[in-house]
Amino acid sequence: MSEYSRFTYEGDVMVHMSDDNRVCRAADLMRFMQEAATRQLEALGPNLTTLQSQGRAFIMSRISIDFPAPVYTFDTVQCTTWPCASSRGACFDRHFEIFCGEETVARAASQWAFLDYQNQKLLRVEDADVYFTRDEVVTTTLPLRFRIPKDAPLTAVGEKTVRYSDIDTNRHLNNTHYCDLYCDHLPMDGKRVAALSIAFQKEAPLGETVTVLRTEEPDENGIYYFRTVRQSDGAVNTEAMVQLVSL
């Protein structure tokens, strides 16, 4: 049984990760988080090869992220992650912090499930043969669990068909791509993402098209609400809160 504590992955912000202001996109900071979590699995087990051979996977169900400061092209960042024990047998929490030098540039709280995807059955985390220590819990600006207000009208602003460049080893739209999808339908000129919270409800497999719905204007806190809906069956795919801030 492996004991999971803190794990750090270091990387550079490359040119293709940056927008027209040389600011690293929120989705790419999220990718540093995914990379750190995956590399911790590779280091301590069970790794991706083992999980795939068993028809199992760790699936992110929710994430809330703060981006307190921008990161720029060629900056070096250190992403630290740690999973925490949870009272929910089928779920566990994973937390992240990203530093650029001494400055915290991102922090996140997330919730994960352990899934037998061949039988579409949730498994107990203990079945993964890992031990999650109890460690510091990250708090974020936007709640990890939320509901879109009933009085927040959502309007269709576009659609997205899942292509080869969007998928991961599970053959569905990778979680980090949703942040890019939301930003593609926001007034990002002179802005950056300050905070976001995403609830992943149904996967969008290769070939699926999702309709993107969004509130026309932000609320009094500068938050836009999103919902994506699968066109194949009308199922809600994701819901999200995104808060922007001026550069």
Side-chain angles (χ1 to χ4, degrees):
M1 179 174 288
S2 299
E3 180 174 332
Y4 277 43
S5 55
R6 292 187 176 230
F7 182 90
T8 298
Y9 168 73
E10 182 174 288
D12 296 327
V13 176
M14 293 180 279
V15 173
H16 70 268
M17 299 176 177
S18 309
D19 65 13
D20 57 331
N21 295 298
R22 301 183 68 243
V23 173
C24 182
R25 296 182 181 88
D28 284 295
L29 286 174
M30 193 174 172
R31 290 178 182 115
F32 278 115
M33 294 178 185
Q34 184 180 68
E35 191 69 18
T38 303
R39 286 177 181 253
Q40 185 176 42
L41 281 177
E42 288 296 310
L44 297 177
N47 62 30
L48 293 181
T49 301
T50 299
L51 289 171
Q52 286 181 334
S53 69
Q54 298 171 344
R56 297 176 170 186
F58 289 112
I59 303 295
M60 184 190 294
S61 59
R62 296 177 183 273
I63 189 166
S64 177
I65 314 176
D66 283 351
F67 302 96
V71 186
Y72 296 93
T73 309
F74 304 137
D75 280 347
T76 298
V77 297
Q78 297 81 36
C79 180
T80 298
T81 183
W82 62 100
C84 291
S86 171
S87 60
R88 300 174 297 275
C91 300
F92 67 95
D93 301 325
R94 179 180 280 279
H95 302 277
F96 301 88
E97 288 181 325
I98 298 182
F99 300 93
C100 185
E102 298 297 318
E103 186 174 27
T104 301
V105 295
R107 64 176 69 90
S110 63
Q111 187 175 95
W112 297 67
F114 190 37
L115 178 69
D116 176 346
Y117 57 80
Q118 290 182 337
N119 298 304
Q120 291 298 298
K121 176 185 175 183
L122 286 175
L123 303 172
R124 294 185 61 84
V125 174
E126 291 85 350
D127 294 336
D129 196 29
V130 295
Y131 174 67
F132 296 155
T133 58
R134 294 193 179 275
D135 205 331
E136 177 186 359
V137 173
V138 169
T139 58
T140 54
T141 302
L142 300 180
L144 189 60
R145 291 182 172 275
F146 64 91
R147 291 183 182 273
I148 296 178
K150 291 182 179 180
D151 61 352
L154 297 173
T155 302
V157 292
E159 61 180 37
K160 165 72 176 177
T161 298
V162 181
R163 304 297 189 191
Y164 165 80
S165 59
D166 302 310
I167 63 170
D168 53 25
T169 55
N170 295 318
R171 291 181 62 83
H172 62 222
L173 184 65
N174 182 265
N175 290 342
T176 65
H177 285 239
Y178 286 97
C179 186
D180 280 332
L181 177 59
Y182 305 141
C183 288
D184 284 344
H185 297 286
L186 284 170
M188 295 300 298
D189 191 25
K191 303 284 183 69
R192 67 177 183 85
V193 176
L196 82 156
S197 185
I198 309 174
F200 302 98
Q201 299 188 23
K202 297 285 186 179
E203 65 181 19
L206 181 65
E208 177 69 75
T209 298
V210 297
T211 300
V212 182
L213 301 102
R214 192 203 75 196
T215 48
E216 291 191 14
E217 300 294 335
D219 67 11
E220 64 275 10
N221 297 311
I223 296 169
Y224 291 88
Y225 291 91
F226 280 88
R227 177 177 291 139
T228 56
V229 178
R230 298 194 306 202
Q231 292 187 5
S232 63
D233 59 3
V236 174
N237 166 232
T238 68
E239 292 187 337
M241 306 169 67
V242 184
Q243 186 179 50
L244 302 182
V245 66
S246 297
L247 291 171

